[in-house]
Amino acid sequence: MIERDDLCAAVSAGIVTESQAASLASLADARRGARENLAEGDEPFELFKGFNEIFIVVGLGILATGYAAVAGLYVASALGGWIERVIPVTVLGALLTWALSEYFIRKRRMVAPAIALSLLWAGNASVGFTAWFAQPFMVAQEDFSSLPVPLALTTVALLVHWLRFKVPFALALVAIGAFIVALVLAADQAGSPRDISDLFLLSAGGPFAWITLALGVVVFALAMTFDMSDPHRVTRRAANGFWLHVVAAPALVNTVALTLLDGGANALLFVTLMLFAIVAIIIDRRSFLIAAVGYSVALAWVVFDGDGGAWTVLTLGLVLVFLGAFWARIRAKLLKTLKPVLPLKRLPPSVIHD
């Protein structure tokens, strides 16, 4: 095992540069953080590193609440021209959030505060851009023509935050922001969706479900790009892929499942969900499968009444536990069977070798 002293010696001998040594040390730290105390073949996932991060997140939440309350009092005290007060308040909030991000993300490399600060940045940006560009009276009359610009600017602001701090969770917010912008543009042209099912039902009259499906395909492709660039999942690219899969899976699974359910194609629905499960196992993403299984449980009570629904949910639970227990072995068999058509070098390696 190469230690820090070995890297320093390599720099002194001219074998590697200081920059290369720092990159190697950073990679080693990332691998330890991602894989330490993790079973072989398990999927890295981290929301916080310790209770101190939770403590800081609570502090950030209280700070944000207090700032919003004081800012609200300041804006409300204006007899007129309240927008002129909202803009400097949000600019100051953005500067404060950015400064905190520099410290807690760039310097301290904390996970939970990074997620919290990404959310605070998104909220602050949406309030500021909406106050500046949107027309509240038009929105109240279901005229959304003034919303795409502030929503798009908020999404761009999130992308800028991600480019600077590389918080994987922020990339998921960017994807959701793009989805919301597309839906608002569609609503401005085709009218508001009647209910939430219009967002997933391809047979509905509006374009919303097609937008959801397209979003799922694009985000899934981006997630796979990150995953395949880091098949061993030792860098932040794998975490980017994880959060993008969390966005892509519901968009894909819910749209396909609800459409098939509405058409009465229950057998095809079962086959489709099994295909989603196979894809999740091949790419080794349990996060992708959770959306399919969770939605299947909800659908079971609709498709099967009474005892049938109960037995179906029980069966799905047994299947999920079975997959959790034998995931690695099932994946090894799938990879061996599909070896001629799969880019195995770009996928996480199997930990079971025949």
Side-chain angles (χ1 to χ4, degrees):
M1 180 182 294
I2 298 178
E3 304 290 343
R4 296 292 177 124
D5 291 341
D6 298 320
L7 291 176
C8 292
V11 173
S12 300
I15 299 175
V16 297
T17 65
E18 289 188 9
S19 176
Q20 290 171 334
S23 297
L24 286 171
S26 177
L27 177 61
D29 290 339
R31 290 188 59 147
R32 280 192 295 271
R35 291 294 181 183
E36 193 172 23
N37 300 322
L38 194 65
E40 189 177 17
D42 206 347
E43 184 177 353
F45 176 69
E46 191 176 42
L47 282 177
F48 59 92
K49 294 180 179 178
F51 194 78
N52 185 48
E53 290 198 0
I54 301 299
F55 183 82
I56 292 172
V57 168
V58 172
L60 289 173
I62 295 174
L63 176 63
T65 302
Y67 183 82
V70 172
L73 292 174
Y74 171 71
V75 172
S77 64
L79 297 178
W82 61 273
I83 292 180
E84 285 73 10
R85 292 198 173 191
V86 171
I87 301 304
V89 163
T90 54
V91 170
L92 180 59
L95 293 174
L96 177 60
T97 304
W98 192 276
L100 290 170
S101 297
E102 289 286 348
Y103 178 73
F104 287 114
I105 302 175
R106 296 273 295 185
K107 184 175 182 179
R108 298 287 298 275
R109 298 187 179 278
M110 291 184 164
V111 178
I115 294 175
L117 287 166
S118 298
L119 289 170
L120 291 177
W121 177 263
N124 188 83
S126 63
V127 171
F129 287 128
T130 301
W132 184 259
F133 292 101
Q135 301 295 327
F137 297 107
M138 295 171 62
V139 175
Q141 297 175 4
E142 295 190 359
D143 182 353
F144 304 115
S145 58
S146 66
L147 286 181
V149 171
L151 291 174
L153 290 174
T154 300
T155 303
V156 172
L158 280 166
L159 182 59
V160 170
H161 191 272
W162 177 78
L163 290 172
R164 172 60 177 170
F165 301 106
K166 295 296 189 296
V167 179
F169 179 77
L171 201 56
L173 295 180
V174 172
I176 294 173
F179 174 56
I180 294 174
V181 171
L183 287 181
V184 172
L185 285 172
D188 184 45
Q189 298 296 322
S192 303
R194 294 168 299 178
D195 53 56
I196 195 172
S197 66
D198 283 356
L199 300 180
F200 303 104
L201 195 59
L202 293 174
S203 57
F208 305 106
W210 292 102
I211 292 173
T212 303
L213 184 61
L215 169 84
V217 171
V218 171
V219 175
F220 178 76
L222 289 174
M224 289 305 303
T225 300
F226 281 111
D227 275 355
M228 295 177 75
S229 68
D230 180 22
H232 292 275
R233 294 179 181 168
V234 296
T235 70
R236 198 174 294 180
R237 293 193 300 274
N240 289 332
F242 169 86
W243 284 109
L244 288 175
H245 278 303
V246 170
V247 176
L252 288 172
V253 176
N254 290 358
T255 303
V256 174
L258 185 59
T259 300
L260 292 175
L261 177 63
D262 184 68
N266 297 335
L268 185 57
L269 171 61
F270 175 79
V271 172
T272 302
L273 292 176
M274 289 301 100
L275 289 176
F276 277 121
I278 292 173
V279 169
I281 294 171
I282 290 174
I283 66 176
D284 201 18
R285 280 298 187 187
R286 295 162 180 81
S287 54
F288 188 88
L289 181 59
I290 284 296
V293 173
Y295 196 72
S296 299
V297 171
L299 289 177
W301 297 104
V302 178
V303 177
F304 305 102
D305 295 327
D307 294 340
W311 282 104
T312 303
V313 171
L314 177 62
T315 302
L316 288 172
L318 290 173
V319 170
L320 189 60
V321 172
F322 176 81
L323 288 177
F326 301 102
W327 181 279
R329 295 186 178 278
I330 295 172
R331 185 168 185 271
K333 294 294 183 183
L334 280 175
L335 293 183
K336 183 178 180 179
T337 303
L338 300 175
K339 182 178 180 180
V341 296
L342 290 178
L344 295 183
K345 292 183 179 180
R346 307 289 298 277
L347 294 172
S350 172
V351 298
I352 304 296
H353 303 284
D354 296 331

